[in-house]
Amino acid sequence: MSEIAKGCSHFQEFKKTSGLYSYGVIYKYLINPMSISPEARKLKADSCVCHVCRCSPMCLHACLHCVYFGCFEPESHFVSHVRNTGHVLAVDLIYGCVYCFKCRDYLYDSSLDTACKEINQNHSTGSSLSIGWEPSLEEMELLRQNPKRRKVEQGSTIGLRGLYNLGNTCFMNCILQALSHTPVLRDFFLSDAHRCFSESMQLQCVVCEMGNLFQQFYCGVVTPHVPYRFLHLVWTHARYLAGYEQQDAHEFFIAALDVIHHHTGGQTPTAAHPGHSCSCIVDKVFAGRLQSDVTCQVCKSVSTTLDPFRDISLDLAPHNVINRNSTPVDINDIQTDNGSPTSSTNSGETMLASVPATLTECLERFTRPEPLGSESKIKCNKCCSYQESTKRLTVRKLPIVICFHLKRFEHSLRSRKISNIIKFPLDLNMTPFISKSCTNGGDNRYSLFSVVNHSGSLHNGHYTCFIRQQQDQWFKVDDAWITKALTEEVLSSEGYLLFYHKKTLEYI
């Protein structure tokens, strides 16, 4: 999804005559994630259907001129509404982006960000996120028939279980340990939320086997488990991972999420609507949205795109520099007297290269505006010509669980492993790294619950992980072996994959 440059004449004319009242009402009651009152939820459930086909598609839009909801596709019901009424502005009911049918693109306007921020701040105080649960008669009877309870107390080992290495499968064991200790994912599988309706489907279903793994982890048995069925199913559905060669834990993590997403009936974002996610358990837990803002350096207009992500890869190596002759220079080959990498400016001056030392510095580098350079000019819709521009990434939508991938393996002319220690915190606040329109005053804090580490070289090594049990107990898992670990040991580890869970969940 792309957005046209700031200054859409149709939207500016609408603002002059009608203001932003209609947009504020739509955003407040149908989009705002902080609006969690029962009345708002009921209104959204009753209203968010196409007025023609009565369906609730992922690409539903609301008319900004009148009360109308319609499907948003080529030759759709909303297109017919535009032709019949001349109403050219529509609001995406997932992210609140405004689309202009005259310009045939989404638009950007700072007044929309300001309106969203004011509404979010008004809703950020005094909101209760707890939802009560009352067991049904069937559930009450089931509880009476099964009086035995497993009580998780301080020092309990429920959930702690090693996994046998089946031949260079330490990468898989670490990811399974991290997934099994993801709270929302654990609750999903232990509640039998996924069911296949035939035995033949169950034998080939990765999600059914994942549910079985969760049962094995939390059944109370402490002897190591043999995850041969899960390994076989992954080999079947992701053949590039088949074999007993050492694989990358990050690559396996992405593959596992993709396979689970596919087997739960997950929908892949289309080219026309890449910003829309499905409702499968993978996207509910791990899916977020990155916002890319490309700013023209001449007219300062902004073009925005939204892209889904399930993890964030962070660069650790110093950036390469380009000299005046546009010849790439490897920054690791340029040294100062004290051994620090340097680069040259256009004027021939020497400057110190920035090398991140903490997770926060990695995120600051990730979200820092980046000049695209004269060789990567982008056509500006407002200037109607190719101009130099800057690009900045921010997080538009935060997921429940964020996996940070520290890019330690560098595959280039000089392949190597980057073993720098990157300091990471137990608690992380993501507020400085989210888009302006999402600064809602809500709780954007995260807690560390798992760390995957790699020891060894680029071509030969071993994976281990740390997992958090209960509130503040940490354990080191090395395949079948589990030992207690200190928090200091976790925070001083090298770190390859960092798993953070949101502290406060917001229910819509």
Side-chain angles (χ1 to χ4, degrees):
M1 179 186 71
S2 64
E3 297 187 11
I4 64 174
K6 179 169 59 176
C8 168
S9 59
H10 312 100
F11 181 73
Q12 298 300 330
E13 184 63 28
F14 175 84
K15 252 195 331 182
K16 290 179 182 179
T17 57
S18 305
L20 294 178
Y21 175 77
S22 58
Y23 179 83
V25 171
I26 293 173
Y27 184 85
K28 178 178 180 180
Y29 291 101
L30 302 178
I31 301 170
N32 178 25
M34 301 301 293
S35 179
I36 56 174
S37 67
E39 295 80 8
R41 287 196 296 271
K42 185 176 186 304
L43 178 63
K44 185 169 185 177
D46 294 340
S47 304
C48 289
V49 294
C50 177
H51 282 192
V52 178
C53 63
R54 310 305 298 175
C55 295
S56 301
M58 294 296 293
C59 51
L60 196 69
H61 281 55
C63 182
L64 202 56
H65 304 263
C66 67
V67 181
Y68 178 84
F69 299 90
C71 305
F72 188 82
E73 292 288 353
E75 299 303 322
S76 64
H77 298 129
F78 211 110
V79 174
S80 300
H81 174 73
V82 174
R83 290 171 180 168
N84 295 333
T85 62
H87 297 169
V88 298
L89 297 173
V91 182
D92 168 28
L93 289 179
I94 294 183
Y95 299 105
C97 301
V98 177
Y99 184 87
C100 178
F101 280 88
K102 280 287 185 70
C103 299
R104 296 183 180 181
D105 214 335
Y106 288 88
L107 62 90
Y108 173 85
D109 193 276
S110 59
S111 61
L112 295 177
D113 288 345
T114 303
C116 294
K117 187 174 181 180
E118 291 177 354
I119 294 172
N120 291 334
Q121 287 176 343
N122 292 335
H123 279 279
S124 63
T125 57
S127 297
S128 174
L129 297 176
S130 60
I131 299 177
W133 172 75
E134 290 292 337
S136 63
L137 294 177
E138 292 80 4
E139 291 170 333
M140 291 287 290
E141 181 61 28
L142 188 63
L143 290 172
R144 280 192 288 267
Q145 293 175 4
N146 298 271
K148 187 178 179 180
R149 304 285 183 270
R150 288 195 179 276
K151 187 177 181 181
V152 180
E153 299 175 337
Q154 187 73 14
S156 173
T157 60
I158 294 178
L160 293 176
R161 192 172 186 182
L163 297 171
Y164 280 117
N165 192 317
L166 303 179
N168 284 331
T169 58
C170 54
F171 64 93
M172 177 186 73
N173 291 345
C174 289
I175 298 303
L176 292 179
Q177 291 287 354
L179 294 178
S180 68
H181 287 82
T182 303
V184 178
L185 208 60
R186 175 197 62 205
D187 297 345
F188 173 84
F189 283 104
L190 292 183
S191 63
D192 291 331
H194 169 78
R195 295 184 182 181
C196 285
F197 296 99
S198 68
E199 186 174 347
S200 60
M201 291 176 61
Q202 294 178 15
L203 294 176
Q204 294 298 320
C205 181
V206 176
V207 188
C208 290
E209 182 56 29
M210 179 63 79
N212 177 58
L213 280 175
F214 274 86
Q215 297 286 347
Q216 294 295 332
F217 271 104
Y218 291 93
C219 66
V221 178
V222 295
T223 55
H225 177 65
V226 185
Y228 70 94
R229 277 192 51 79
F230 187 85
L231 178 63
H232 169 72
L233 289 174
V234 170
W235 283 0
T236 301
H237 298 289
R239 294 189 179 276
Y240 60 93
L241 293 175
Y244 290 100
E245 295 181 355
Q246 179 68 271
Q247 302 288 347
D248 180 62
H250 173 250
E251 188 176 5
F252 180 84
F253 170 69
I254 297 300
L257 293 189
D258 285 340
V259 172
I260 296 173
H261 167 80
H262 174 73
H263 279 251
T264 51
Q267 301 174 357
T268 303
T270 63
H273 301 284
H276 296 294
S277 62
C278 73
S279 58
C280 75
I281 185 60
V282 168
D283 277 8
K284 282 184 175 179
V285 177
F286 294 98
R289 292 289 176 271
L290 286 178
Q291 176 172 317
S292 174
D293 294 316
V294 177
T295 304
C296 174
Q297 293 303 290
V298 177
C299 66
K300 303 302 179 182
S301 62
V302 181
S303 177
T304 300
T305 57
L306 298 180
D307 295 303
F309 73 87
R310 290 179 184 153
D311 72 305
I312 296 179
S313 294
L314 300 173
D315 190 17
L316 303 185
H319 288 159
N320 287 350
V321 295
I322 298 178
N323 61 17
R324 295 183 63 87
N325 296 323
S326 300
T327 303
V329 179
D330 189 343
I331 203 167
N332 296 298
D333 294 333
I334 309 175
Q335 301 290 331
T336 58
D337 294 337
N338 61 4
S340 300
T342 63
S343 61
S344 298
T345 64
N346 289 340
S347 61
E349 297 176 352
T350 300
M351 63 180 183
L352 186 67
S354 173
V355 179
T358 67
L359 178 60
T360 300
E361 291 179 5
C362 290
L363 287 169
E364 289 173 349
R365 172 193 278 194
F366 183 77
T367 57
R368 186 180 302 154
E370 174 189 0
L372 297 181
S374 58
E375 294 185 351
S376 302
K377 291 183 178 181
I378 295 178
K379 188 174 182 179
C380 174
N381 291 334
K382 189 173 182 180
C383 297
C384 296
S385 61
Y386 288 91
Q387 303 289 354
E388 291 191 21
S389 56
T390 60
K391 178 181 178 181
R392 185 185 184 191
L393 290 175
T394 52
V395 181
R396 178 65 175 264
K397 176 181 177 291
L398 289 167
I400 295 176
V401 172
I402 298 183
C403 172
F404 294 110
H405 166 224
L406 303 182
K407 297 169 68 174
R408 294 195 174 277
F409 302 123
E410 189 175 69
H411 300 279
S412 59
L413 294 177
R414 189 177 63 181
S415 298
R416 65 187 180 114
K417 178 188 175 184
I418 302 174
S419 299
N420 301 352
I421 295 296
I422 302 296
K423 295 182 180 180
F424 48 90
L426 283 176
D427 298 314
L428 176 67
N429 189 350
M430 287 294 293
T431 300
F433 312 110
I434 63 178
S435 307
K436 290 182 179 179
S437 58
C438 299
T439 54
N440 51 32
D443 194 347
N444 299 318
R445 296 175 300 158
Y446 284 77
S447 292
L448 183 71
F449 71 91
S450 183
V451 178
V452 174
N453 289 299
H454 178 270
S455 58
S457 63
L458 178 65
H459 303 290
N460 185 24
H462 180 63
Y463 287 98
T464 59
C465 71
F466 292 102
I467 53 175
R468 190 185 69 189
Q469 177 83 343
Q470 301 178 24
Q471 186 64 29
D472 55 0
Q473 297 185 62
W474 284 92
F475 293 87
K476 182 179 181 180
V477 183
D478 186 350
D479 289 329
W481 299 95
I482 300 180
T483 55
K484 194 152 187 174
L486 299 175
T487 304
E488 293 76 13
E489 184 182 356
V490 177
L491 297 181
S492 61
S493 64
E494 188 176 90
Y496 179 52
L497 299 177
L498 310 176
F499 291 86
Y500 282 85
H501 196 288
K502 203 168 189 181
K503 285 194 171 186
T504 304
L505 301 185
E506 294 147 2
Y507 298 91
I508 309 176

